[in-house]
Amino acid sequence: MGTLWSQERPPEEEQPTEQSRWWAPARQLLTAVLLLGLLLGSSVILFYIFRSCGPRPCEMPACRDLLEYYRASGNTSAPRCTDFFSFACAEAKGANSSFQALAEENKSRLQRILEAPRSWPLGSGEEKAFQFYHSCLDTDAIEAAGAGPLRQVIEELGGWPISSNWTSLDFNRTLRLLMSQYDHFPFFRAYLGPHPTPPHMPIIQFLVWTLSFLALCPQPIPFLGLLLLLLTLSILFPEAILHGTGPMSPHLSSPSSTHPLLSSLSCVQIDQPEFDVPLKQNQEQKIYAQIVRTYLTYLNQLGTLLGGDPSQVEQHAFLSISTTSRLFQFLRPLEQQQAQEKLFQMVTINQLQEMAPAIDWLSCLQATFTQMSLSPSQTIVVHDLDYLKNMSQLVEEQLSSHSNFLQSHMIFGLVGTLSPALNSPFREARKLLNQKLQELTGRPRVPAYTREMKCVEETGAFFEPTLAVLFVHEAFSPSTQSAAMDLFTDIKDALVTRLRKLPWMDEETQKKAQDRVTQLQVEMGAPGWAMTSVLTSHKYSEVHLGPNFLQSFLSGVRSRQARIIQSFLEPFPHHRWQVSPWGVKAYYSASDHVVVFPAGLLQPPFFHPAYPRAVNFGAAGSIMARELLHIFDQLLLPGNCPGCDTHALEREQQCLESHYAAFPLHGGTSFSGFHSLLESAADVGALAIALQAYNKRLLWHRGETTLPNLDLNPQQLFFRSYAQVMCRELSTQDSQDTQSPPTLRVHGPLSNTLAFAKHFHCPDGALLKPSRRCQLW
Ligand SMILES: *[C@@H]1O[C@H](CO)[C@@H](O)[C@H](O)[C@H]1NC(C)=O
Ligand SMILES: *[C@@H]1O[C@H](CO)[C@@H](O)[C@H](O)[C@H]1NC(C)=O
Ligand SMILES: *[C@@H]1O[C@H](CO)[C@@H](O)[C@H](O)[C@H]1NC(C)=O
Ligand SMILES: *[C@@H]1O[C@H](CO)[C@@H](O)[C@H](O)[C@H]1NC(C)=O
Ligand SMILES: CC(=O)N[C@H]1CO[C@H](CO)[C@@H](O)[C@@H]1O
Ligand SMILES: CC(=O)N[C@H]1CO[C@H](CO)[C@@H](O)[C@@H]1O
C-alpha cells in the first residue's frame, strides 16, 4: 500500500493546477471507499462460504456405530446445564464403565482372532497359541481327566498328608518347586524389577538415584548411614536437593534422561506375598468371622475333592487359615505402608539368611532365577525386613510343632491359583468363594466371564508376544497410529503453550517444565517390536502342550515366568511395557520418562481416525493430556516448587477444593486427601488442554465433521465425548478409589470451563456455570 501511494503521489517540483488540487483528495477518498467496500464485500462472501461449508455429517460406519453407542449410553432429555452426567451416561449399566466396555471389546477382538479359521505353520507360536486356546475350551476333556492331573502335581511336590502317600516334609524342596515351577509364592514374593523409586519423596528419591549409580545390585551401604549423609548434604547444599539443579533434580529431571541405561538395571526383590483372602483383623469383627467361615468352607471343599477324610481336612484347613491370619498380622499397618510405601533395604543373601533362617534363600532364589547366577554375597532389595523376620519365625515354629500342616497350607494355596485349569467342581468352588468375598468386602462385582473370555485371558497371558502382533495387525494399523501421534503432538503443544501462561510458576520452573515435556518419549499402540515384527517370530520352544490341560497350563506358567525374568536381564534401551497392547490403561513411567498409550485404548468410542475431530480430542485427547499432567504431580505437593509463587499455587488449590465441594454427592465420598486433589487437578487441566488443542486445530484446519442426527455442534460434541470417558454406573465406586465419583469427574472439569457454558447456552447460576473458575493448570 505504501509503495502504491508513493508512486501515485505527484512529483514535488510540478506546479499543482486548480483542477488537480481539487481532484487529489477526492481521488484518495474514492480509493479508500472502494477499498473499504472491497474488504466488506469479501468478508461477507467469506462469511457465507464458511457458513455454507460448516460441519458435514460423518457418514462413515465408524460414526454410525458411535452414534448408536451415544444414544444407548445417555439420556438426551436430561438437563445439560445441571446434569451433564445423565445426559451422557444415564444408561451405563452394572460395572460397565466405558473403560470396562472397551476392555471387553478388546478381549472379544482377541477371541475373534483366536477363533478365525486359519492354518498356521506347524510349531509356530501362533499354532501353539491357537492349540492352547482350543484345549482350554475343551471342557469335556478337562472333566474326563477329573482330579487326576492335580493329584499328579501334588505327588511331584512331595505328596499331601491328607490325601496321598506321605512320608515326610522337605519344606525347602517344596517351596523351591512352588517358586520355580509353579510361579507360586506362599510366604513372600520374589521378582526381578528395576530399583524402586518412591514417588512424592524427593529426598528418598535422591537416595535411590545415588544408589542407582553404583551398578547392578550395588553392594550394601548401611542404609541409615547413607540417609545421614544425605541429610547432611541437604543441610550443606539445600539448593542442590530442593531446586533440583543438575542431574539430581527431584522433580524435573529423570534419572533415565541422564543415564539411559539405568532402566535396564534390575535386582532380585523380596516383598510381601499376595494373599488369597483379606484376613486383616482390624476389619469389623463380624465381617472377619464371616470371611474366615467362607474361606474355611472353601478349603474343606478342596480337601474333600482331593479325597481327604473330612474331619482331617477340617483340621488342616483351620490351621492354614490361622497361618494366613498370622502372616497378615506381620504386615505393616496401612498408614505405615503408605508413609514408607516404597522404602526398602539392600542386603546380601547371606545377611537375609541370618535374619530369616527358616528359608533356604539361595537355593530357592537360584531355582527361580535360573538365568542368573546368584552367590551368597549377591545383594538383593528387601521391601519389608520385619515381615520376613517374623514370617521366618512363624515357619520355624510351625515346622517344629506340626510340620504336616505347613505342607497343607502350601498345597491349598497352589490349588487356589490353579483353579482356572482344573475341572468344574474346583472351578465352581472358587467362583463361589470369590462371589462371597466380593459381597463381604464390598468390592465392586467383577462380571462373571464366560469360559471363552477366561481362555482368551489365559492365552493372552501365556502367548503375549504372538497375540500382541496379531492384535496390532487387526486393530491398530499404521494410519491409526499416525493419526494418534498427530493428536498427541497437538496435545503436547497445547500443554507447552499452557505452561508458559501459568501464573503460579516462575520462569525457571516454566522453562524446565517445558524441557521436560519436550524430552518426553511416547509409545503409541504397542512396543516397537510388535508394530514392525512379522508374524511367527516367537516360537515358545519351551511350551509343551499336553498330555492334559493342567500340564499345558503349567507349561505356559513356566514359559511366562522365564520370559518376564529374561526381559529384565536383557540390556534394554527402550521402555519395557507394563501393559498388553490390548490393555486399556495409559500410564506415565517416571523412571523412563515415557508415556504409554496401548492400542486397546485408542479404539472406539474414544478414538478412530474417521471420527469427527471433536470426538478424538474430547476423549483420547483428554486422556493423553491427563497422563502428561501427571508428570508434574510432584510440583503441586507442598514445598516441592520453592521457586513458584506458593501463595498463588495454594490459592488455586483451595479454589479447586471449594469448586468441587459445591457439587452435591450421590452417596460418594467427598473430596478428600491430596491424592484426590491431584487427580481432580489433572482432570480439570486435561479438559482445558484438550479444548485448547482442539480450538487451535479448528482455527488452522477446516473440514470439520459432526455426527448426523445428534443435534450437537462440533464444540458440543467435544464435551459429550469428554464425558463419555468417565461414564460408569454410580454404585460401582470402589471405596478404595482415590478418584472422585464419576459425576464429579464430569461436572467438576466441565463447570470449570467457560466454553462449556457458552456452547450449551447455560444461564448464569446454573450448576455447571458457577461464577468463579480456577486455573491450576
Ligand atoms: C431422562 O431425563 C429426564 C429428565 O431428567 C427424566 O425425566 C427421565 O426419566 C430420564 N429418562 C430415563 C430413561 O432415565
Ligand atoms: C457392557 O456394555 C457393552 C456394550 O455397551 C456390552 O457389549 C457388554 O456386554 C456389557 N457388559 C456387561 C458386563 O454388562
Ligand atoms: C501310593 O504309592 C503307591 C506306590 O508308590 C501307589 O501305587 C499308590 O497309588 C499311591 N497312592 C496314592 C493315593 O497316591
Ligand atoms: C531350609 O533351609 C534352611 C537353610 O539351609 C535351613 O536353615 C532350614 O532348617 C531348612 N528347613 C527345613 C525344614 O529343612
Ligand atoms: C506381630 C509380631 O509378632 N510382630 C513382631 C515382628 O518382629 C518384631 C521384631 O523383629 C517384633 O517387634 C514384633 O512384635
Ligand atoms: C485379553 C485381555 O486380557 N485383554 C485386556 C483388555 O483390557 C483389560 C484392561 O486393561 C486388560 O486387563 C486385559 O488384559
Side-chain angles (χ1 to χ4, degrees):
M1 218 76 117
T3 53
L4 203 82
W5 280 120
S6 61
Q7 269 170 9
E8 299 214 349
R9 195 180 300 140
E12 302 266 322
E13 59 271 25
E14 233 176 81
Q15 275 296 315
T17 58
E18 183 76 0
Q19 192 192 21
S20 75
R21 223 179 283 129
W22 167 84
W23 180 234
R27 199 171 52 177
Q28 280 175 11
L29 193 74
L30 210 73
T31 319
V33 166
L34 222 90
L35 276 174
L36 207 74
L38 217 73
L39 211 75
L40 215 81
S42 58
S43 48
V44 166
I45 291 171
L46 273 179
F47 178 71
Y48 273 98
I49 289 178
F50 272 108
R51 258 183 79 98
S52 59
C53 65
R56 288 172 291 111
C58 165
E59 301 287 359
M60 311 279 279
C63 292
R64 260 178 270 135
D65 290 348
L66 183 67
L67 190 63
E68 284 310 305
Y69 191 95
Y70 278 1
R71 287 212 169 120
S73 126
N75 174 0
T76 42
S77 46
R80 303 160 177 199
C81 292
T82 50
D83 192 4
F84 201 78
F85 181 80
S86 298
F87 175 70
C89 309
E91 301 298 312
K93 281 274 158 29
N96 210 347
S97 68
S98 295
F99 277 96
Q100 221 154 0
L102 191 54
E104 267 168 46
E105 176 54 34
N106 68 27
K107 273 185 252 174
S108 313
R109 219 156 174 157
L110 277 189
Q111 185 187 351
R112 288 198 292 274
I113 293 174
L114 284 168
E115 289 181 351
R118 289 167 81 168
S119 57
W120 297 99
L122 218 62
S124 67
E126 289 78 9
E127 197 243 1
K128 275 196 174 148
F130 283 66
Q131 214 184 321
F132 177 85
Y133 176 71
H134 288 285
S135 69
C136 178
L137 283 184
D138 188 359
T139 41
D140 290 347
I142 296 173
E143 294 311 318
L150 181 57
R151 286 221 184 84
Q152 194 192 334
V153 164
I154 293 174
E155 286 296 315
E156 280 163 24
L157 284 169
W160 195 6
I162 51 179
S163 73
S164 66
N165 294 335
W166 164 254
T167 45
S168 73
L169 170 67
D170 184 347
F171 172 72
N172 283 316
R173 178 178 173 272
T174 306
L175 183 60
R176 193 169 57 231
L177 283 174
L178 282 179
M179 288 170 62
S180 61
Q181 303 297 305
Y182 299 91
D183 201 9
H184 181 60
F185 297 84
F187 301 106
F188 57 87
R189 201 157 52 94
Y191 59 96
L192 275 192
H195 267 287
T197 48
H200 315 319
M201 280 188 183
I203 292 196
I204 302 298
Q205 198 160 345
F206 174 85
L207 169 83
V208 173
W209 295 346
T210 318
L211 285 177
S212 307
F213 296 136
L214 299 180
L216 183 128
C217 278
Q219 291 310 305
I221 290 178
F223 186 74
L224 265 177
L226 198 62
L227 198 66
L228 271 182
L229 173 84
L230 195 76
L231 284 178
T232 325
L233 265 178
S234 71
I235 291 163
L236 290 178
F237 309 105
E239 295 285 298
I241 291 180
L242 291 179
H243 282 272
T245 45
M248 311 284 187
S249 160
H251 45 77
L252 284 181
S253 91
S254 79
S256 62
S257 62
T258 41
H259 296 266
L261 274 179
L262 264 190
S263 63
S264 63
L265 296 183
S266 304
C267 279
V268 174
Q269 326 223 354
I270 315 277
D271 205 346
Q272 301 163 352
E274 278 157 6
F275 289 104
D276 232 10
V277 273
L279 281 180
K280 284 190 289 272
Q281 288 208 309
N282 60 355
Q283 53 202 341
E284 213 180 304
Q285 202 58 41
K286 205 172 112 213
I287 296 197
Y288 178 77
Q290 274 174 321
I291 292 179
V292 168
R293 224 172 302 134
T294 307
Y295 196 42
L296 195 60
T297 312
Y298 169 67
L299 294 186
N300 275 330
Q301 251 174 318
L302 291 192
T304 359
L305 281 174
L306 282 164
D309 167 53
S311 66
Q312 212 188 354
V313 169
E314 175 129 30
Q315 212 186 354
H316 283 250
F318 192 78
L319 272 150
S320 172
I321 290 180
S322 94
T323 305
T324 307
S325 172
R326 286 191 61 191
L327 288 175
F328 250 98
Q329 286 168 34
F330 300 151
L331 300 181
R332 280 171 295 186
L334 192 64
E335 318 83 70
Q336 210 178 330
Q337 265 183 50
Q338 279 169 344
Q340 26 171 283
E341 188 176 4
K342 301 271 169 70
L343 212 54
F344 58 92
Q345 272 154 297
M346 313 215 41
V347 297
T348 62
I349 293 182
N350 249 346
Q351 286 169 328
L352 184 60
Q353 188 66 54
E354 272 167 36
M355 291 184 276
I359 312 280
D360 187 354
W361 291 99
L362 184 60
S363 87
C364 285
L365 293 178
Q366 183 64 76
T368 310
F369 304 106
T370 40
Q371 300 99 318
M372 301 170 82
S373 85
L374 299 176
S375 71
S377 61
Q378 175 75 46
T379 311
I380 55 182
V381 175
V382 168
H383 288 265
D384 187 354
L385 197 53
D386 279 340
Y387 169 83
L388 293 181
K389 286 181 187 166
N390 289 339
M391 176 276 293
S392 167
Q393 220 169 0
L394 175 67
V395 168
E396 277 182 336
E397 238 172 70
Q398 301 261 17
L399 279 171
S400 63
S401 54
H402 19 246
S403 61
N404 294 357
F405 294 117
L406 218 48
Q407 178 84 355
S408 285
H409 178 68
M410 293 192 278
I411 303 275
F412 276 135
L414 176 69
V415 174
T417 62
L418 292 183
S419 32
L422 301 178
N423 57 339
S424 58
F426 287 96
R427 292 203 308 269
E428 287 303 319
R430 185 76 187 180
K431 199 163 118 191
L432 209 64
L433 172 73
N434 287 342
Q435 268 173 12
K436 290 226 172 106
L437 285 181
Q438 264 163 25
E439 282 162 22
L440 286 172
T441 54
R443 278 188 231 153
R445 267 185 97 109
V446 182
Y449 285 129
T450 59
R451 179 81 193 162
E452 281 81 3
M453 278 302 163
K454 288 225 173 79
C455 291
V456 166
E457 248 174 39
E458 268 133 34
T459 314
F462 297 153
F463 299 89
E464 189 181 274
T466 295
L467 290 192
V469 176
L470 289 174
F471 183 81
V472 166
H473 201 75
E474 166 102 8
F476 205 65
S477 66
S479 68
T480 309
Q481 192 198 27
S482 92
M485 272 314 242
D486 288 347
L487 175 63
F488 179 75
T489 309
D490 285 351
I491 297 289
K492 201 167 88 168
D493 291 348
L495 171 63
V496 170
T497 316
R498 209 164 180 86
L499 284 173
R500 264 188 236 128
K501 291 183 192 150
L502 288 181
W504 52 268
M505 216 187 249
D506 64 301
E507 218 168 286
E508 196 192 328
T509 313
Q510 275 178 13
K511 174 96 193 24
K512 277 193 194 149
Q514 284 172 33
D515 288 349
R516 198 94 170 92
V517 178
T518 331
Q519 290 159 3
L520 182 74
Q521 305 283 313
V522 58
E523 300 254 343
M524 196 66 79
W529 56 262
M531 296 296 295
T532 53
S533 157
V534 277
L535 294 179
T536 65
S537 52
H538 205 102
K539 291 271 196 293
Y540 308 95
S541 47
E542 69 291 356
V543 176
H544 302 286
L545 300 181
N548 52 56
F549 182 62
L550 180 59
Q551 285 301 331
S552 306
F553 183 87
L554 287 171
S555 194
V557 167
R558 282 168 208 142
S559 152
R560 180 189 51 189
Q561 194 183 14
R563 189 172 64 239
I564 292 172
I565 293 172
Q566 190 59 39
S567 79
F568 276 100
L569 292 176
E570 274 161 12
F572 203 80
H574 303 296
H575 173 68
R576 194 176 284 113
W577 275 52
Q578 293 159 21
V579 293
S580 305
W582 55 86
V584 296
K585 193 174 165 7
Y587 66 90
Y588 165 65
S589 156
S591 56
D592 289 347
H593 195 39
V594 58
V595 275
V596 174
F597 302 101
L601 176 70
L602 298 166
Q603 300 292 329
F606 296 163
F607 184 82
H608 192 285
Y611 278 170
R613 287 193 297 239
V615 175
N616 287 338
F617 275 87
S622 68
I623 293 173
M624 289 172 176
R626 190 176 301 108
E627 279 325 307
L628 288 180
L629 284 177
H630 280 312
I631 300 174
F632 302 111
D633 272 354
Q634 299 219 10
L635 276 183
L636 300 186
L637 292 166
N640 258 6
C641 183
C644 297
D645 180 347
T646 324
H647 287 299
L649 178 57
E650 272 168 19
R651 196 179 53 235
E652 292 305 333
Q653 289 181 352
Q654 274 159 12
C655 172
L656 198 64
E657 237 166 283
S658 46
H659 181 84
Y660 270 71
F663 290 96
L665 288 168
H666 308 278
T669 46
S670 66
F671 196 81
S672 62
F674 213 87
H675 203 84
S676 173
L677 172 74
L678 288 182
E679 292 295 342
S680 307
D683 280 350
V684 169
L687 177 64
I689 290 166
L691 181 64
Q692 185 180 322
Y694 176 59
N695 283 337
K696 189 168 167 211
R697 190 98 305 232
L698 271 188
L699 202 61
W700 295 108
H701 302 263
R702 291 182 40 234
E704 198 53 12
T705 57
T706 187
L707 288 183
N709 312 322
L710 193 64
D711 200 22
L712 292 180
N713 68 30
Q715 281 87 355
Q716 291 173 327
L717 187 59
F718 169 89
F719 292 110
R720 172 75 182 76
S721 171
Y722 168 80
Q724 191 66 45
V725 176
M726 310 292 178
C727 285
R728 65 172 161 178
E729 202 189 36
L730 292 173
S731 63
T732 58
Q733 173 83 357
D734 192 337
S735 57
Q736 328 227 305
D737 217 337
T738 50
Q739 277 168 341
S740 316
T743 33
L744 215 49
R745 294 196 68 191
V746 172
H747 292 165
L750 288 183
S751 60
N752 198 54
T753 312
L754 193 56
F756 170 80
K758 187 181 128 208
H759 290 299
F760 282 97
H761 314 293
C762 296
D764 286 335
L767 185 66
L768 298 185
K769 193 183 181 188
S771 52
R772 246 180 84 201
R773 271 163 288 276
C774 321
Q775 199 203 350
L776 198 47
W777 287 119

